[in-house]
Amino acid sequence: MSAEAQGAAFTQWIGTSNQGYAPLAMEEVRRTVEGAAVRVLAPGETFLIESPLDREETLQQIQTNPPIFLRHIQAVDGLLELTEDGPIDALAWLSEQVRLAEPQLREQRIAVHVRRTDGCVFASSISEVKHAIDAALRDVGAMPEQQEPQRIVSVYAVKDRLYIGMGTPDELMSDWPGGAIRFHREDGQISRAKFKLVEAERAFGLDYTQYREALDIGAAPGGWTSLLLERGVSVTAIDPAALHPSIVRHPKLTYLKRNASEVKFKPNSFDLLVCDMSWSPMQMVKLVMELTDALTHGATGIVTIKLMHKKPLQTIRDVIAKLESDFIVHRAKQLFHNREEITLFMTKR
């Protein structure tokens, strides 16, 4: 049974959030796509969206109102119900779904993403699924390619159901399975926090090599500072705690071992501000706004907002409302490497 078979103006989607944030992502979908029904598929992370709109209208609604907590979305182009002792050849069904989609796949670079929940009936391994679908892709004149794909075939197995959907990385909001971005830890890497700044660069379409002078507030132990130094940016790092010994003598680093509230800078000193402190949201906002005169017009800000309270959506609204007196807030997004927080991308007015 496909979504199309149920009516042209009705589409189904699989949505994914960070673990534990599915209720907030589901609420976002309800508010964004008028009339959408949402129900849980895998507790805390994955859910099924039933939209009264067609594919293009649903995507337009979501893209026009970029979500904070919805990490990834996958169209349901086909659905197969499974039983433990049923005769259905699920791999053959998946291959046939690919062949039926030949017009949109031919001569395209296609990645295959496979996700499965624990305890699902579907027995085939991820490698077996990819092998079968890659063969079907070649049959229709497509090019299996995991890196920089033009389209993605997504397979999701949950309990007794097998879903397949196809779309571009932009439509899926990510070119990683389920939006779960996996970076390789490097030898000597100072902290995992570095991944948050790398992911922010990708998510917000930035290029850190284009910046000249960065201010890192609450820099210790130096994960974000180290990344910016690697990109050739001069960094002024502020923190009363110690930076990692591997970077303290870097020629492009100025290290101020003080509280940021005690430091003043000349106007227009920095074209990039980053901040990843475990402070309350409003304390962070106050600190950032006290330093805005040190930023050039149009300077970029990348800051994390800790969701420490029971009303995270209200916290986010309050923070953005306060910041918008000095900044244009372009995106608020819970990245895959965020935990109890979100990341803001903004520019100084």
Side-chain angles (χ1 to χ4, degrees), residues 281-294:
M282 284 307 174
Q283 282 181 305
M284 185 280 302
V285 169
K286 181 176 183 295
L287 194 54
V288 166
M289 295 185 70
E290 287 174 351
L291 292 166
T292 53
D293 287 346

PDB file of all heavy atoms in Angstrom, residues 281-294:
ATOM      1  N   PRO A 281      19.976  30.323  30.255  1.00  0.00           N
ATOM      2  CA  PRO A 281      19.791  31.027  28.980  1.00  0.00           C
ATOM      3  C   PRO A 281      19.875  32.541  29.098  1.00  0.00           C
ATOM      4  O   PRO A 281      20.542  33.199  28.302  1.00  0.00           O
ATOM      5  CB  PRO A 281      18.413  30.560  28.528  1.00  0.00           C
ATOM      6  CG  PRO A 281      18.238  29.225  29.154  1.00  0.00           C
ATOM      7  CD  PRO A 281      18.910  29.318  30.476  1.00  0.00           C
ATOM      8  N   MET A 282      19.204  33.125  30.069  1.00  0.00           N
ATOM      9  CA  MET A 282      19.188  34.580  30.170  1.00  0.00           C
ATOM     10  C   MET A 282      20.528  35.153  30.634  1.00  0.00           C
ATOM     11  O   MET A 282      20.890  36.275  30.271  1.00  0.00           O
ATOM     12  CB  MET A 282      18.057  35.037  31.092  1.00  0.00           C
ATOM     13  CG  MET A 282      16.693  34.952  30.428  1.00  0.00           C
ATOM     14  SD  MET A 282      16.659  35.841  28.819  1.00  0.00           S
ATOM     15  CE  MET A 282      15.025  35.416  28.237  1.00  0.00           C
ATOM     16  N   GLN A 283      21.288  34.400  31.428  1.00  0.00           N
ATOM     17  CA  GLN A 283      22.642  34.836  31.770  1.00  0.00           C
ATOM     18  C   GLN A 283      23.502  34.890  30.518  1.00  0.00           C
ATOM     19  O   GLN A 283      24.287  35.824  30.322  1.00  0.00           O
ATOM     20  CB  GLN A 283      23.260  33.881  32.793  1.00  0.00           C
ATOM     21  CG  GLN A 283      22.782  34.077  34.214  1.00  0.00           C
ATOM     22  CD  GLN A 283      23.460  33.112  35.166  1.00  0.00           C
ATOM     23  OE1 GLN A 283      23.437  31.891  34.978  1.00  0.00           O
ATOM     24  NE2 GLN A 283      24.063  33.647  36.202  1.00  0.00           N
ATOM     25  N   MET A 284      23.362  33.872  29.664  1.00  0.00           N
ATOM     26  CA  MET A 284      24.117  33.846  28.421  1.00  0.00           C
ATOM     27  C   MET A 284      23.743  35.027  27.530  1.00  0.00           C
ATOM     28  O   MET A 284      24.606  35.712  26.969  1.00  0.00           O
ATOM     29  CB  MET A 284      23.857  32.524  27.685  1.00  0.00           C
ATOM     30  CG  MET A 284      24.694  32.321  26.418  1.00  0.00           C
ATOM     31  SD  MET A 284      24.064  33.206  24.971  1.00  0.00           S
ATOM     32  CE  MET A 284      22.411  32.532  24.869  1.00  0.00           C
ATOM     33  N   VAL A 285      22.440  35.300  27.407  1.00  0.00           N
ATOM     34  CA  VAL A 285      21.974  36.409  26.590  1.00  0.00           C
ATOM     35  C   VAL A 285      22.548  37.729  27.099  1.00  0.00           C
ATOM     36  O   VAL A 285      23.041  38.558  26.316  1.00  0.00           O
ATOM     37  CB  VAL A 285      20.432  36.469  26.579  1.00  0.00           C
ATOM     38  CG1 VAL A 285      19.945  37.761  25.950  1.00  0.00           C
ATOM     39  CG2 VAL A 285      19.870  35.277  25.832  1.00  0.00           C
ATOM     40  N   LYS A 286      22.502  37.946  28.396  1.00  0.00           N
ATOM     41  CA  LYS A 286      23.024  39.183  28.981  1.00  0.00           C
ATOM     42  C   LYS A 286      24.505  39.357  28.655  1.00  0.00           C
ATOM     43  O   LYS A 286      24.951  40.445  28.261  1.00  0.00           O
ATOM     44  CB  LYS A 286      22.808  39.161  30.496  1.00  0.00           C
ATOM     45  CG  LYS A 286      23.298  40.422  31.221  1.00  0.00           C
ATOM     46  CD  LYS A 286      22.941  40.331  32.695  1.00  0.00           C
ATOM     47  CE  LYS A 286      23.360  41.609  33.443  1.00  0.00           C
ATOM     48  NZ  LYS A 286      24.816  41.803  33.479  1.00  0.00           N
ATOM     49  N   LEU A 287      25.255  38.290  28.775  1.00  0.00           N
ATOM     50  CA  LEU A 287      26.690  38.345  28.515  1.00  0.00           C
ATOM     51  C   LEU A 287      26.982  38.651  27.048  1.00  0.00           C
ATOM     52  O   LEU A 287      27.834  39.489  26.726  1.00  0.00           O
ATOM     53  CB  LEU A 287      27.338  37.014  28.918  1.00  0.00           C
ATOM     54  CG  LEU A 287      28.852  36.975  29.031  1.00  0.00           C
ATOM     55  CD1 LEU A 287      29.368  38.049  29.957  1.00  0.00           C
ATOM     56  CD2 LEU A 287      29.297  35.603  29.505  1.00  0.00           C
ATOM     57  N   VAL A 288      26.280  37.982  26.153  1.00  0.00           N
ATOM     58  CA  VAL A 288      26.483  38.206  24.720  1.00  0.00           C
ATOM     59  C   VAL A 288      26.136  39.647  24.347  1.00  0.00           C
ATOM     60  O   VAL A 288      26.884  40.314  23.614  1.00  0.00           O
ATOM     61  CB  VAL A 288      25.636  37.207  23.893  1.00  0.00           C
ATOM     62  CG1 VAL A 288      25.579  37.644  22.433  1.00  0.00           C
ATOM     63  CG2 VAL A 288      26.219  35.804  24.010  1.00  0.00           C
ATOM     64  N   MET A 289      25.030  40.156  24.876  1.00  0.00           N
ATOM     65  CA  MET A 289      24.591  41.496  24.499  1.00  0.00           C
ATOM     66  C   MET A 289      25.509  42.580  25.063  1.00  0.00           C
ATOM     67  O   MET A 289      25.633  43.669  24.494  1.00  0.00           O
ATOM     68  CB  MET A 289      23.142  41.707  24.922  1.00  0.00           C
ATOM     69  CG  MET A 289      22.193  40.782  24.162  1.00  0.00           C
ATOM     70  SD  MET A 289      20.461  41.077  24.490  1.00  0.00           S
ATOM     71  CE  MET A 289      20.211  42.652  23.697  1.00  0.00           C
ATOM     72  N   GLU A 290      26.180  42.289  26.167  1.00  0.00           N
ATOM     73  CA  GLU A 290      27.157  43.245  26.706  1.00  0.00           C
ATOM     74  C   GLU A 290      28.378  43.375  25.803  1.00  0.00           C
ATOM     75  O   GLU A 290      29.123  44.354  25.908  1.00  0.00           O
ATOM     76  CB  GLU A 290      27.590  42.804  28.108  1.00  0.00           C
ATOM     77  CG  GLU A 290      26.523  43.026  29.174  1.00  0.00           C
ATOM     78  CD  GLU A 290      26.929  42.454  30.519  1.00  0.00           C
ATOM     79  OE1 GLU A 290      27.959  41.746  30.580  1.00  0.00           O
ATOM     80  OE2 GLU A 290      26.219  42.714  31.517  1.00  0.00           O
ATOM     81  N   LEU A 291      28.578  42.396  24.915  1.00  0.00           N
ATOM     82  CA  LEU A 291      29.753  42.393  24.048  1.00  0.00           C
ATOM     83  C   LEU A 291      29.424  42.733  22.593  1.00  0.00           C
ATOM     84  O   LEU A 291      30.290  42.643  21.730  1.00  0.00           O
ATOM     85  CB  LEU A 291      30.441  41.024  24.110  1.00  0.00           C
ATOM     86  CG  LEU A 291      31.089  40.689  25.463  1.00  0.00           C
ATOM     87  CD1 LEU A 291      31.443  39.203  25.534  1.00  0.00           C
ATOM     88  CD2 LEU A 291      32.334  41.537  25.690  1.00  0.00           C
ATOM     89  N   THR A 292      28.189  43.107  22.307  1.00  0.00           N
ATOM     90  CA  THR A 292      27.818  43.320  20.907  1.00  0.00           C
ATOM     91  C   THR A 292      28.553  44.493  20.268  1.00  0.00           C
ATOM     92  O   THR A 292      28.786  44.486  19.061  1.00  0.00           O
ATOM     93  CB  THR A 292      26.293  43.539  20.765  1.00  0.00           C
ATOM     94  OG1 THR A 292      25.887  44.588  21.657  1.00  0.00           O
ATOM     95  CG2 THR A 292      25.536  42.272  21.075  1.00  0.00           C
ATOM     96  N   ASP A 293      28.933  45.507  21.056  1.00  0.00           N
ATOM     97  CA  ASP A 293      29.672  46.631  20.477  1.00  0.00           C
ATOM     98  C   ASP A 293      31.021  46.196  19.916  1.00  0.00           C
ATOM     99  O   ASP A 293      31.570  46.861  19.022  1.00  0.00           O
ATOM    100  CB  ASP A 293      29.883  47.730  21.519  1.00  0.00           C
ATOM    101  CG  ASP A 293      28.607  48.499  21.824  1.00  0.00           C
ATOM    102  OD1 ASP A 293      27.646  48.362  21.037  1.00  0.00           O
ATOM    103  OD2 ASP A 293      28.560  49.213  22.840  1.00  0.00           O
ATOM    104  N   ALA A 294      31.540  45.087  20.404  1.00  0.00           N
ATOM    105  CA  ALA A 294      32.829  44.595  19.915  1.00  0.00           C
ATOM    106  C   ALA A 294      32.698  43.881  18.576  1.00  0.00           C
ATOM    107  O   ALA A 294      33.717  43.543  17.958  1.00  0.00           O
ATOM    108  CB  ALA A 294      33.450  43.649  20.942  1.00  0.00           C
TER     109      ALA A 294
END
